[in-house]
Amino acid sequence: MSTHEPPGQGAITVDHLPPDLTRALYTHMRTARDLDAEAVALQRQGVFPAYVSVRGQEAAQVASAAALDPSRDFVFPTYREMAAALAYGVEMVAYMATHRALWHGGLYDVMESRFGAINAVVGGPVPHAVGWAVGERMRGGDGVALAYFGDGASSEGDVHEAMNFAGVYGAPVVFFCQNNRWALSVPNERQVAGGSVAARARGYGMAGATVDGNDAAAVHGAVTEAVARARRGEGPTLIEALTYRVEPHSTSDDTGRYRDEAEADHWRTHRDPVALLRAAMLGAGHATAEEADAIDAAAAARAEEIRDGVSAAPEPDGSELFTHVFRETTQELTRQRRIWEEEVQP
């Protein structure tokens, strides 16, 4: 059985983190874990047409987002960054509305939250992040872009071109690859040449690092360093966070067709990032067991609140199908809207 674990794995440590940061990371991770379970249940009940689980990747997402400054940085997510959105302060009922298909890209304000719309194009956020980062530098700002993508997306041409462009122009970008072992049903060894995504950084003339993606403190440290480097004008960084997708790729996926579930069970049991951080938090004296239990209870309550909010959110008026297609409407769009209005009129 291949467990895809980084070397030297065991208990993690948070001794070098401020206690309030440790508690904040744990709070976000615990809330994301509970909200993820609620979202899967909503899909099973028919409220969400589909959903992609983040279970097992909470440390990679929460800790990386927490290392940014929401007042000046910008996040470019894929379709699996619910935990990152939560940690970054995005309004979660509005964010989760995308999974209910109420509005493409969610109902939250992308510019105000500085967290991009959910992007289902494989590798799609990466060139967007580079474009924003180059523009940020041209206007004299000190913001940094963080692009999320997976190991499968690392094989896309758009990702290569974006990284090469960023390397040439020294763009302030953190390329954050969540290597969860599976590009849907394809394992690393069949689609990542050389066995490492981070090793490619050298070819793009940028810094590269591999980190245990289930160690929140290690992820936070790596991203903090990369962000500081970008702010100093020292160019982009490629971080490969080694983790594991313990759940199916999406709620329509059948993992039994392509992987040994004993491997996933190993990661659930021995490398659960939420359990690892809780143990480290208690061991470092950053919280008592009673305080951790209180965080757990508050996280469950918040997840339920978000669940109820997104379930009760009103559907948008059908006319909004035509509202934001073009800045100025076209004759064809006007014709389509007229036909639609004739069909829906009682």
Side-chain angles (χ1 to χ4, degrees):
M1 179 180 68
S2 170
T3 56
H4 177 65
E5 291 192 34
Q9 290 311 296
I12 68 171
T13 179
V14 295
D15 292 342
H16 60 291
L17 293 184
D20 58 344
L21 175 57
T22 303
R23 290 191 296 270
L25 293 174
Y26 181 73
T27 299
H28 291 316
M29 287 170 59
R30 182 70 257 182
T31 305
R33 172 65 58 85
D34 290 338
L35 182 55
D36 190 71
E38 296 287 0
V40 172
L42 287 175
Q43 192 280 327
R44 301 307 188 206
Q45 296 163 14
V47 178
F48 288 176
Y51 179 71
V52 288
S53 175
V54 303
R55 185 181 180 94
Q57 298 180 217
E58 294 94 347
Q61 293 191 14
V62 166
S64 57
L68 301 171
D69 181 352
S71 70
R72 51 182 169 169
D73 299 330
F74 212 108
V75 176
F76 293 83
T78 70
Y79 45 79
R80 201 187 295 275
E81 271 69 57
M82 179 269 282
L86 181 71
Y88 207 62
V90 178
E91 206 292 298
M92 292 307 292
V93 170
Y95 173 88
M96 297 298 285
T98 306
H99 294 295
R100 196 178 143 199
L102 292 184
W103 185 269
H104 180 69
L107 295 171
Y108 64 99
D109 189 324
V110 166
M111 295 302 295
E112 181 179 352
S113 65
R114 304 182 74 80
F115 194 93
I118 289 176
N119 192 329
V121 177
V122 178
V126 181
H128 294 172
V130 174
W132 182 90
V134 171
E136 175 74 355
R137 192 180 69 172
M138 290 177 67
R139 76 175 188 86
D142 65 348
V144 175
L146 186 143
Y148 287 107
F149 62 104
D151 47 295
S154 73
S155 299
E156 290 288 327
D158 285 355
V159 173
H160 161 74
E161 293 169 13
M163 288 186 180
N164 189 62
F165 192 95
V168 169
Y169 287 93
V173 186
V174 177
F175 298 103
F176 192 81
C177 175
Q178 294 176 83
N179 185 343
N180 65 16
R181 182 72 174 86
W182 295 98
L184 208 165
S185 60
V186 181
N188 276 176
E189 57 267 22
R190 288 176 51 196
Q191 63 93 25
V192 177
S196 171
V197 175
R200 300 174 184 172
R202 184 176 180 182
Y204 301 122
M206 66 179 72
T210 300
V211 66
D212 177 2
N214 287 22
D215 182 338
V219 171
H220 188 271
V223 177
T224 297
E225 181 180 342
V227 169
R229 184 183 300 115
R231 284 205 215 287
R232 293 193 301 264
E234 297 173 10
T237 301
L238 170 57
I239 296 174
E240 180 181 14
L242 298 176
T243 182
Y244 194 89
R245 195 199 76 217
V246 297
E247 298 300 318
H249 176 76
S250 71
T251 48
S252 61
D253 179 31
D254 178 8
T255 56
R257 299 178 62 184
Y258 58 83
R259 78 179 184 190
D260 179 2
E261 282 306 302
E263 181 175 271
D265 289 340
H266 170 85
W267 281 78
R268 288 190 191 96
T269 304
H270 300 290
R271 299 301 302 161
D272 180 357
V274 178
L276 288 173
L277 183 57
R278 180 186 171 101
M281 180 174 67
L282 297 180
H286 291 185
T288 65
E290 291 74 18
E291 289 171 333
D293 289 343
I295 290 174
D296 291 349
R302 187 181 179 201
E304 291 174 1
E305 181 183 5
I306 296 169
R307 175 204 65 196
D308 293 345
V310 73
S311 297
E315 295 187 4
D317 187 275
S319 63
E320 294 185 12
L321 283 168
F322 308 93
T323 303
H324 302 294
V325 180
F326 299 103
R327 177 175 296 181
E328 297 179 4
T329 191
T330 65
Q331 289 184 346
E332 175 60 20
L333 192 63
T334 299
R335 184 188 70 83
Q336 292 177 16
R337 178 166 186 161
R338 184 177 66 252
I339 294 174
W340 175 83
E341 289 174 342
E342 292 172 352
E343 290 178 347
V344 299
Q345 291 299 324

